[in-house]
Structures are given as structure tokens and as C-alpha cells.
Amino acid sequence: MTIRVMLVDDQVLLRTGFRMVLAAQPDMDVVAEAGNGVEALEVLRSTAVDVVLMDVRMPKLDGVETTRRICADTDPPKVLILTTFDLDEYAFSGLKAGASGFMLKDVPPGELLAAIRAVHSGDAVVAPSTTRRLLDRFAPMLPSTGARPEHKQLERLTEREREVMVLVAQGLSNGEIAARLVLSEATVKTHVGRILTKLGLRDRVQVVVLAYETGLVRAGGHG
């Protein structure tokens, strides 16, 4: 199945570079481009897209607000934030807005392609250790008042699911979680699926964010 990709960036040269890399892939097709958030939302009304590569700093409407509006739709495409700096408040805000992950703009082509495939499959979060470091840094920005009602959501989880959620939030892959808890990888995947369903979350990135918001995991990555 071909992954339909949309490029959203105000730098034409950057879009051209990404388009050339993606066009060489048999399983990817760049179906749309936009130079700012307003344009992106307009294009998405009439174009079917699976994954959006989203710049954060753009005129008219930035990538964070554009991501928020995209993810508020029914059955939205997955959004992969592109950022210039590894630990960037824009990337953090993008994850909060519903993005499935983020990558540096100067990422090697192979890593970018792997990230697009991972985000499209929904099976993996992009660079979980980087995501964790980002959340460690910006945990103080999380709203403490919003934490209490979220705790009730966690009551829906079994003890084992809470254990798995903590390890997901610490950036461990399914294989690493399986080794830590002496479970099969398939069982871990089942637990992660149930966590997503019970908590109404889209992917592993949202699991990480919620774990920090509720205090299940504190800055430093410890539950």
C-alpha cells in the first residue's frame, strides 16, 4: 500500500529535497504540498493524505495550531513534526496537539523514511528516547490542574497495563518491555493496544504525554 504524504513547509527548497527523497520510494507518494498552515488545511479538505510532514515555524498559521486542527478532525492523517532543534518547545507543543512524533530537519534520509513508515503503521513512536528527554525538559510546563481528572482515566487500567504504560513512557520499545516484564512481544503489543483503547489515545506518543500529565511518570523518567 502506498503511503500518501503531504509536505508542509514555507521553504520551497526544503520541500523539493524531501519530495525527491520520497519520490524514489516505491511505497510513498507525495500527493500534496503547502507553504503554511492555512494552505495546508485548505488542501486537506479535498486531498486524501496518510502522513503530514509538518514544519513548526510558518507564516499565517504555525505548525502546532495546524496540527491541533488536523488532529481534531475525524480519522485525521498522522502528523510528523519537523523541527530544527532537538529539544524544542514547538516539538513539545506539537506532541500535545496530537502529532505522532517529531524529527530533526537534517535527519538522514533513511531515518526520515523509517519514521514516516513507523508513524503510518502506528506501531512505534519516533525516537522514543528523544521524546522522553523532550518531556523531561518541558514537564514543568504541564498543567497541574488538568492532572486530577486524568487520574480517573488511569483507574480503567489493570495493574499490568499500568506497568506497561510506565515503560512505554520511559521510551522502551515493545521488545524491551517484553524482556523487562518477561512477556512475549505479542502480549506487550496487546497490552499497548488495550491502553490506547481504554484511554482513548491515538498512539504511543500520547501515552507518554498522558503519563507525564498524570504524574504516573515524573521528569527523569521514573514512575
Side-chain angles (χ1 to χ4, degrees):
M1 187 177 77
T2 303
I3 303 172
R4 297 164 297 190
V5 180
M6 179 180 190
L7 306 175
V8 185
D9 198 300
D10 60 335
Q11 296 179 46
V12 178
L13 271 177
L14 205 74
R15 293 206 310 266
T16 303
F18 282 144
R19 187 170 64 242
M20 287 171 66
V21 171
L22 270 53
Q25 302 305 305
D27 62 339
M28 292 184 195
D29 187 15
V30 177
V31 296
E33 291 185 37
N36 61 64
V38 173
E39 202 180 304
L41 294 172
E42 219 168 90
V43 172
L44 281 170
R45 288 193 195 105
S46 57
T47 309
V49 174
D50 298 312
V51 176
V52 180
L53 290 187
M54 179 75 69
D55 184 26
V56 283
R57 295 179 178 88
M58 295 182 294
K60 295 188 180 178
L61 194 65
D62 68 32
V64 174
E65 183 55 33
T66 306
T67 298
R68 188 174 289 112
R69 295 187 193 184
I70 289 172
C71 294
D73 282 348
T74 308
D75 196 23
K78 300 291 177 67
V79 178
L80 188 57
I81 294 279
L82 293 170
T83 178
T84 311
F85 304 105
D86 192 0
L87 294 177
D88 185 326
E89 70 273 15
Y90 285 98
F92 174 82
S93 301
L95 295 180
K96 289 276 293 167
S100 295
F102 70 95
M103 298 293 287
L104 293 173
K105 281 190 175 183
D106 60 357
V107 66
E111 283 185 36
L112 177 68
L113 297 171
I116 292 170
R117 292 184 183 106
V119 165
H120 179 248
S121 73
D123 283 344
V125 58
V126 180
S129 59
T130 308
T131 301
R132 186 176 72 245
R133 289 206 319 279
L134 182 93
L135 284 164
D136 282 346
R137 175 167 169 181
F138 293 106
M141 292 166 53
L142 291 167
S144 55
T145 51
R148 278 188 220 106
E150 300 288 0
H151 274 299
K152 289 192 173 171
Q153 285 183 282
L154 298 184
E155 288 169 12
R156 300 173 195 165
L157 303 181
T158 64
E159 194 56 42
R160 177 62 90 189
E161 286 163 357
R162 284 172 75 101
E163 275 185 281
V164 171
M165 183 172 177
V166 167
L167 296 175
V168 168
Q170 290 175 359
L172 274 65
S173 67
N174 284 354
E176 290 166 338
I177 294 170
R180 180 80 62 91
L181 299 180
V182 197
L183 299 170
S184 73
E185 205 165 328
T187 300
V188 172
K189 197 168 180 181
T190 300
H191 282 313
V192 172
R194 285 185 184 144
I195 291 165
L196 295 177
T197 302
K198 286 183 179 182
L199 301 181
L201 304 176
R202 189 179 298 112
D203 53 33
R204 293 169 77 103
V205 171
Q206 292 195 334
V207 171
V208 178
V209 172
L210 182 63
Y212 275 76
E213 284 183 322
T214 57
L216 187 66
V217 171
R218 294 185 300 276
H222 303 290

